[in-house]
Amino acid sequence: THLGLPGDAITCLEAVLQIVPKEREALSLLLDLRLAADQYEEARVAAQRLVETAPTGEDRAQSLLTLGTIELRTDRIKEAAKALNAAVALSGPNGPAAVEYKKLLGDDEPWQRYADALSLHLTKLQSGEVRGDPKASYLALARIQYEVLTDVEGSTRTLRAGLEECKGDADVHRELAERLATAGMLDASLIEYQRIVAKTATDTLAWRGMAKALHGSGQTMAAGVACGPLVVLGEATEIEAGMARQRRLHPGWANPGSFSAAAMAALSATSDGWQEQRIRTLFTSLAEGLSKLYPPDFDSYGVSSRDKLSPREGHPLMATCERMAQTFGVDEYDVYIHASPTTDVVAELCVPVAIM
C-alpha cells in the first residue's frame, strides 16, 4: 500500500488467506483496503469472516460493529440492526454499538429487541463469556422497561436482581427506590430509602429522594423531616431548607419506651453482644455510686425533700414528666419546682432521680 498499489496488496492478502484462512491481521488489512476502494460487498465478506474468527467476546463485538457499519453504508437497515443487536449483547449499553443501534430503534426495530440484547448481555456476563460491570446494564435495562416499554413490574424485578448481583450498590438501590416512588408504591419506596440511609447516613441523594417521594404524595411535614439531614450535611437547597423549617417540633412527644434500656440495647454498635452486656453491667454498677460521688445540692435550689411535687396534687407539670418518664422507661422519680432564674431542667443523680 505504501507504493500506491492497493490492487496488488489485495492480491497478496488474498493469497495469504488462502494459506491461513483465519489470519485476523490479514483480514483486517483486507477489510480496510476494500472499504477504501468502496468495495462494500467484498468488505462485508471480510467483516463476516472477522466475526467468525473472533477469539474473544470483545473482538467479536468490535467485528459485529464494523459489519453493522458497512450494512448501514449500503442501506441494508435490517441486516445492520441484526449485527448491531448482536454487538450490544456482547458489549453492553455503553459501547459504540449501542450508540449506533439506538439510532435505528423505532417502528421497524422495536425497543423490545434492545431490551432483549441487554438481557442477553447480562447472561453472558454471568457466564463469563464477556467481562464488564453489570451495573450499567441493569440500570439501562430497567429504564427502558419502565420509560419505553411501560413494564413497571419488569423494571422493578430487574433492579432487585441488579441490587443482589451488584452487592447492594447504592446507585442501583436509589434507582429502585425512585422507581417504586414514581410507580406510586410509596411505602415500598420508603422502605428502600430507609435501608440506604441506615447503611450510609450521609447519602444525600437518598435523603433527597425520600423527601421528593414524600412531598409528591402530599406528606409535606414528613418531607420536611427528610430534608433535615440535608440541612445538617450542608447540602440542602433553599427550598429544602425551607421545608425543613416548616415542620413543627413536639418536645417530649416520643413514643413510650423509645429510649428505654431495652430500646437503647437494640441499637447495637457491634455484633459482639457479650461485649455490650459487659458495658451495660459496668454502667449499671457505676449508677449505684453516682449519687455519692455527685450528691444532690438541694440547698442551691432553695428546696428540701419536703418540696417535691406529689402526683396527687394534679400539677400540670407532672403530666409532662410522666410522659417523658415513660419515654425513657423510668419508673421512679421526684419533681421539684424551684425559684432559680435559670430555665434549665436538671436531673440530679440521687435515688430516685430528681428532676429540678
Side-chain angles (χ1 to χ4, degrees), residues 135 163 166 168-175 196 199-200 203:
K135 171 178 156 180
L163 187 62
C166 298
D169 180 86
D171 291 332
V172 179
H173 209 164
R174 284 193 296 266
E175 186 88 3
I196 297 171
K199 185 177 180 181
T200 308
D203 192 327

Side-chain angles (χ1 to χ4, degrees), residues 34-328:
R34 294 296 193 189
L35 288 174
D38 293 335
Q39 298 174 354
Y40 293 117
E41 185 58 40
E42 292 80 358
R44 180 184 300 111
V45 173
Q48 288 171 337
R49 291 176 68 180
L50 280 170
V51 172
E52 294 166 0
T53 59
T56 67
E58 289 78 4
D59 291 330
R60 185 177 175 84
Q62 183 59 46
S63 299
L64 284 165
L65 173 60
T66 302
L67 177 60
T69 303
I70 294 171
E71 302 288 20
L72 286 174
R73 288 189 184 183
T74 56
D75 292 327
R76 290 160 55 95
I77 305 302
K78 182 180 291 187
E79 291 77 6
K82 182 178 179 180
L84 292 172
N85 181 286
V88 170
L90 291 165
S91 59
N94 292 337
V99 174
E100 294 301 320
Y101 184 55
K102 283 189 283 189
K103 295 177 183 177
L104 304 179
L105 296 175
D107 295 334
D108 295 330
E109 186 66 14
W111 279 87
Q112 182 62 56
R113 291 181 187 168
Y114 182 42
D116 293 340
L118 292 178
S119 295
L120 182 56
H121 177 64
L122 286 168
T123 300
K124 291 179 181 295
L125 284 173
Q126 292 164 355
S127 68
E129 182 177 344
V130 295
R131 295 174 298 174
D133 182 4
K135 171 178 156 180
S137 296
Y138 277 112
L139 290 174
L141 176 58
R143 287 166 186 166
I144 291 167
Q145 289 172 320
Y146 182 77
E147 297 172 4
V148 182
L149 304 178
T150 63
D151 182 3
V152 178
E153 184 177 346
S155 177
T156 302
R157 187 166 53 249
T158 295
L159 288 170
R160 291 196 184 281
L163 187 62
E164 181 177 354
E165 184 168 346
C166 298
K167 296 179 173 57
D169 180 86
D171 291 332
V172 179
H173 209 164
R174 284 193 296 266
E175 186 88 3
L176 173 60
E178 181 180 351
R179 184 75 68 250
L180 292 168
T182 53
M185 292 180 278
L186 180 63
D187 291 343
S189 172
L190 292 178
I191 289 173
E192 299 304 332
Y193 276 127
Q194 288 165 358
R195 287 173 176 167
I196 297 171
V197 297
K199 185 177 180 181
T200 308
T202 56
D203 192 327
T204 55
L205 293 176
W207 286 116
R208 182 168 286 118
M210 188 188 303
K212 180 180 178 182
L214 289 165
H215 189 269
S217 66
Q219 300 185 43
T220 54
M221 297 305 294
V225 174
C227 287
L230 294 174
V231 176
V232 173
L233 294 169
E235 296 290 337
T237 64
E238 290 186 11
I239 294 177
E240 290 165 345
M243 291 172 61
R245 288 193 296 268
Q246 288 178 3
R247 61 191 179 93
R248 296 174 58 190
L249 300 179
H250 298 282
W253 281 96
N255 291 327
S258 297
F259 295 93
S260 65
M264 298 307 292
L267 299 176
S268 176
T270 174
S271 59
D272 186 353
W274 172 240
Q275 181 179 359
E276 287 193 350
Q277 179 60 44
R278 286 181 292 183
I279 293 173
R280 286 197 296 273
T281 302
L282 173 62
F283 276 103
T284 301
S285 300
L286 289 173
E288 296 177 359
L290 285 177
S291 61
K292 297 179 180 179
L293 291 173
Y294 304 97
D297 186 7
F298 291 118
D299 291 339
S300 65
Y301 296 100
V303 297
S304 67
S305 59
R306 295 187 301 273
D307 297 317
K308 62 184 177 184
L309 294 180
S310 170
R312 293 190 297 273
E313 296 179 26
H315 196 285
L317 186 59
M318 289 300 296
T320 301
C321 290
E322 179 59 25
R323 188 169 61 246
M324 297 189 69
Q326 291 177 6
T327 300
F328 287 94

